[in-house]
Amino acid sequence: MTEDCDGEEKDEETRRWSPGQGGSSSSSSRGGGSGTSASSPFKNRCVRGRVDQPPPFSGQVLENVLENVLQFLPCRRDRNASSLVCRSWYRAEARTRLELFIGNCYAVSPARALGRFRCARALVLKGRPRFADFNLVPVGWGARFSPWVAAMAAAYPWLERVCLKRMTVSDADLALLARSFSSFRDLTLICCDGFGTPGLAAVAELCRNLRVLDLIENDVEDEDEEVVDWISRFPETDTRLESLSFECVNCPVNFAALEALVARSPSLRRLRVNQHVSVGQLRCLMVRAPQLTHLGSGSFETVPVADGAAELDVAELESSFVASKSLVCLSGFRMVAPEYLPAIYPVCAGLVSLNLSYAMTTAEQLKPVILRCHNLQTFWVLDTVGDEGLRAAAKTCKHLRELRVFPFEATEDSESAVSDAGLVAISEGCQKLRSILYFCQRMTNAAVVTMSKNCQDLVVFRLCIMGRHRPDHITGEPMDEGFGAIVMNCKKLTRLAVSGLLTDKVFEYIAKYGKLVRTLSVAFAGNSDLSLRYVLEGCHKLQKLEIRDSPFGDAGLLSGIHHYYNMRFLWMNSCKLSLRGCKEVAQRLPRLVVEVFGDQNKELDGDAVEKLYLYRSLVGPRDDVPSFVKIL
């Protein structure tokens, strides 16, 4: 299945190579199955008046050999390319594909995907567009898991792993999944909604071989009368659990059952608990599982002392961290009591990943932690760390590969404690950096240029200057030269997010130098449609384009007609599109699905289009369109 189509290969390629489809004689001769070609080693030969036939089952032998070779080809893009060689390779690749990746659940139907890849053991499925994370996709838009799990229950009895992102998953879906696959062992849900503790209870009870249950950034809330003690549903014997993450489950858990579960899970390596687990309870779990490598702390503070029990001493907590010699990743810290932070000092030197993106702490509180993390490669933190905290990270974390600085208050008029000074410090001290997400209120071109020169291995650069059309806060100039330097100097860049006061000039830079850019996010930027035209004509590898609150209209939209079939999707929100322009795209590109809509329960008003979502599909428009969505 090709990533390019997020479901299967392009339609033209499907018609050319798929089994049972007619093709040209030259295509058939390349099949490697029953067909022959002029260059084939098994071509008929005349010897003394008789015709030598090829060895029996020669095509099958070649396909068997090919299948054995393809098993050593794990990369999706390489497998996609191999499936286009000829019909024989197409069949062999489908039979040996063990993981099915579908980047858009509406790009292909469940029947079509499962009919081609009949031996898959794992499914990775994505639903709503990424801007759903910012509440820009109305509730009820779609992306239901129900049709997929129903189809898989019949086609894939051997399924072992499912990873869903931005999908709507019901408790009934989880129950069906748990009942249908006897060997199921790995469930990961990211940014999903629609389910609660009853569904989790079904998974815990029925999936007897479960090794991974990771719930990440999901919306999991039950009414009080609907809450189920799902932790108690795990088998009472020793489990095979390797990873358990439920930070996003908003209801309390049965701690006694959780502690017993951890104790009878000798293979458990990753544990992330929710904010209802206190720091004292966390210590008990660590004592039960000293083998943990990844720990999510939940709440890093005590609960009110009851029944005369003594409050947890910092030294006691520190002893638990001293005993946890395998820890390489710390996260959680939903609520932090600063007096407990010194307890993690013993493990800081061995940490590779530290996620403090929920911890409202100051630079003064964090600096002693950061200065001990010499081997850190991934660091997520709130902007309350300040420029001073980032300077400490730059001084200490020389192996840092990924940095994300999130806003404590994501509003236009908020005051951020990080600025261009922090960015410069990171660029000078962490020159192995490959990925950065940086929210701030103030930035300069000089700071971004400095980063482009110091961190030339950057693959991901996302700079989010909060507020509309904010210029270089020193010179007052647009931020064109800064972002231009990023695409000029960072030759490996594949993902870019731009913001601030930007003109058409920066998009000309991106088109000219950003030849590897696959994902581009644009907010409050550009002068005219020329910006969009530059990007769509110059960035030949562009797969995902996300635009919000920018002055791009029909002319810019139509300038990409030649490229949309090669993209996964285009999302435009609060631009200057008209219904007439969107209809023209739909008419000229009939194999694209063009959806237009506004807010939930709001009919389209006039010719203006609030939201456009354009994507490829092998099966045409979806059949679960809500009333507020119109497919052109």
Side-chain angles (χ1 to χ4, degrees):
M1 180 180 61
T2 65
E3 184 184 23
D4 288 341
C5 270
D6 310 310
E8 291 186 31
E9 70 293 348
K10 300 178 184 179
D11 284 347
E12 180 180 354
E13 292 157 349
T14 304
R15 290 196 301 270
R16 183 176 180 185
W17 299 122
S18 61
Q21 297 290 333
S24 66
S25 58
S26 60
S27 298
S28 298
S29 68
R30 296 170 56 201
S34 59
T36 61
S37 68
S39 60
S40 170
F42 301 109
K43 181 180 64 175
N44 292 349
R45 295 168 295 160
C46 285
V47 180
R48 295 184 181 179
R50 67 180 179 85
V51 177
D52 288 347
Q53 297 294 331
F57 311 114
S58 58
Q60 184 62 51
V61 171
L62 288 178
E63 288 197 20
N64 291 341
V65 172
L66 181 58
E67 288 181 19
N68 289 328
V69 172
L70 289 175
Q71 290 177 0
F72 296 97
L73 198 64
C75 177
R76 288 199 306 269
R77 292 188 181 93
D78 291 341
R79 295 190 69 99
N80 295 341
S82 69
S83 69
L84 303 178
V85 172
C86 63
R87 186 175 299 172
S88 179
W89 284 57
Y90 174 95
R91 291 193 297 262
E93 195 283 319
R95 286 195 294 268
T96 57
R97 178 81 67 127
L98 298 181
E99 178 179 293
L100 206 54
F101 174 87
I102 300 175
N104 178 357
C105 65
Y106 291 121
V108 63
S109 67
R112 181 164 183 167
L114 305 185
R116 175 181 171 189
F117 301 101
R118 301 185 180 187
C119 298
R121 299 292 191 272
L123 172 69
V124 180
L125 182 63
K126 296 184 179 182
R128 292 180 289 274
R130 192 184 68 89
F131 271 3
D133 298 346
F134 303 96
N135 299 318
L136 294 178
V137 178
V139 176
W141 175 81
R144 294 182 302 112
F145 182 49
S146 300
W148 287 92
V149 70
M152 290 190 302
Y156 286 169
W158 47 78
L159 192 72
E160 297 177 352
R161 183 167 71 90
V162 168
C163 176
L164 305 177
K165 189 170 186 179
R166 301 190 188 97
M167 299 286 293
T168 295
V169 184
S170 69
D171 288 332
D173 294 337
L174 293 179
L176 178 58
L177 182 145
R179 289 195 306 267
S180 301
F181 311 111
S182 59
S183 301
F184 193 79
R185 62 182 188 179
D186 186 331
L187 177 63
T188 302
L189 303 178
I190 306 170
C191 300
C192 294
D193 61 8
F195 66 96
T197 53
L200 300 179
V203 172
E205 182 176 3
L206 300 176
C207 298
R208 312 297 288 187
N209 298 308
L210 195 65
R211 298 184 182 180
V212 175
L213 179 57
D214 285 347
L215 311 173
I216 303 169
E217 301 291 343
N218 300 288
D219 183 12
V220 185
E221 291 189 16
D222 287 324
E223 299 295 335
D224 290 340
E225 62 275 10
E226 297 177 350
V227 174
V228 175
D229 181 8
W230 61 281
I231 291 288
S232 298
R233 300 294 183 87
F234 281 94
E236 295 184 358
T237 57
D238 285 356
T239 76
R240 299 182 180 182
L241 269 180
E242 299 173 3
S243 179
L244 176 63
S245 175
F246 58 93
E247 292 173 303
C248 59
V249 178
N250 293 319
C251 57
V253 296
N254 182 338
F255 180 73
L258 176 61
E259 186 177 14
L261 174 63
V262 170
R264 63 179 188 272
S265 302
S267 299
L268 192 65
R269 295 292 182 271
R270 299 185 296 274
L271 176 65
R272 297 181 177 95
V273 299
N274 65 9
Q275 70 270 22
H276 296 284
V277 176
S278 70
V279 69
Q281 293 171 326
L282 180 70
R283 176 182 177 273
C284 294
L285 297 176
M286 295 175 66
V287 170
R288 295 286 190 178
Q291 76 278 6
L292 290 175
T293 59
H294 295 62
L295 178 65
S297 66
S299 172
F300 209 64
E301 64 180 9
T302 57
V303 295
V305 178
D307 301 327
E311 188 172 344
L312 178 67
D313 184 71
V314 176
E316 293 181 88
L317 182 60
E318 183 177 4
S319 66
S320 299
F321 279 96
V322 169
S324 300
K325 300 182 183 301
S326 301
L327 274 180
V328 296
C329 176
L330 270 182
S331 62
F333 302 96
R334 300 282 174 140
M335 293 170 282
V336 179
E339 62 269 21
Y340 284 120
L341 283 176
I344 71 173
Y345 290 171
V347 299
C348 286
L351 289 181
V352 174
S353 175
L354 179 61
N355 183 348
L356 299 174
S357 59
Y358 290 98
M360 213 293 283
T361 51
T362 64
E364 183 179 354
Q365 294 164 346
L366 281 184
K367 278 179 64 177
V369 175
I370 297 172
L371 292 173
R372 288 171 166 82
C373 298
H374 297 282
N375 293 307
L376 209 60
Q377 295 183 20
T378 300
F379 185 34
W380 294 13
V381 68
L382 284 177
D383 59 5
T384 56
V385 69
D387 290 335
E388 184 180 353
L390 293 180
R391 290 189 187 100
K395 178 181 178 181
T396 308
C397 309
K398 298 301 181 180
H399 303 289
L400 197 66
R401 300 292 194 276
E402 179 183 354
L403 172 67
R404 298 192 185 189
V405 181
F406 297 93
F408 174 68
E409 187 178 355
T411 58
E412 294 185 26
D413 56 353
S414 63
E415 288 295 327
S416 175
V418 299
S419 67
D420 52 299
L423 189 73
V424 170
I426 289 292
S427 73
E428 292 174 345
C430 307
Q431 298 192 5
K432 295 180 180 179
L433 200 68
R434 293 178 60 84
S435 175
I436 184 168
L437 169 63
Y438 198 86
F439 282 85
C440 64
Q441 291 282 2
R442 306 183 309 280
M443 188 50 59
T444 64
N445 280 303
V448 182
V449 171
T450 299
M451 167 147 280
S452 75
K453 294 178 179 178
N454 291 334
C455 303
Q456 296 192 8
D457 287 334
L458 277 173
V459 176
V460 176
F461 183 79
R462 294 190 285 169
L463 176 59
C464 303
I465 305 172
M466 293 181 289
R468 298 169 184 253
H469 314 299
R470 295 205 171 182
D472 182 313
H473 80 94
I474 293 179
T475 67
E477 295 293 320
M479 291 296 300
D480 296 343
E481 297 304 321
F483 285 105
I486 289 290
V487 292
M488 289 181 199
N489 298 325
C490 303
K491 305 297 185 182
K492 301 176 183 179
L493 198 72
T494 62
R495 184 172 184 179
L496 175 66
V498 299
S499 56
L501 179 62
L502 297 170
T503 70
D504 293 339
K505 185 177 182 180
V506 74
F507 294 96
E508 185 176 8
Y509 286 143
I510 294 170
K512 184 175 181 180
Y513 299 104
K515 296 304 182 182
L516 297 182
V517 172
R518 296 175 59 86
T519 302
L520 176 62
S521 302
V522 179
F524 311 106
N527 295 117
S528 67
D529 287 320
L530 190 58
S531 297
L532 197 52
R533 180 177 177 181
Y534 281 142
V535 169
L536 291 170
E537 291 183 354
C539 298
H540 304 298
K541 293 193 175 183
L542 191 64
Q543 288 283 297
K544 295 180 280 187
L545 178 56
E546 308 166 330
I547 304 171
R548 62 167 298 185
D549 296 277
S550 298
F552 306 146
D554 294 346
L557 176 66
L558 294 172
S559 68
I561 286 288
H562 67 286
H563 188 59
Y564 291 143
Y565 275 146
N566 297 321
M567 292 175 59
R568 183 184 295 181
F569 69 79
L570 167 67
W571 169 275
M572 297 183 70
N573 187 94
S574 300
C575 296
K576 294 184 177 180
L577 300 176
S578 74
L579 195 59
R580 182 185 307 171
C582 296
K583 284 182 177 179
E584 183 174 346
V585 173
Q587 291 169 356
R588 294 174 62 178
L589 301 175
R591 287 185 291 157
L592 284 181
V593 176
V594 181
E595 296 190 8
V596 294
F597 51 96
D599 296 326
Q600 188 181 22
N601 301 323
K602 182 179 178 181
E603 299 293 335
L604 293 175
D605 184 18
D607 193 48
V609 171
E610 172 66 17
K611 305 176 194 292
L612 166 71
Y613 184 40
L614 179 156
Y615 57 90
R616 293 177 314 226
S617 176
L618 298 178
V619 291
R622 56 192 175 111
D623 57 7
D624 61 348
V625 183
S627 59
F628 57 84
V629 173
K630 183 176 182 180
I631 296 184
L632 304 179

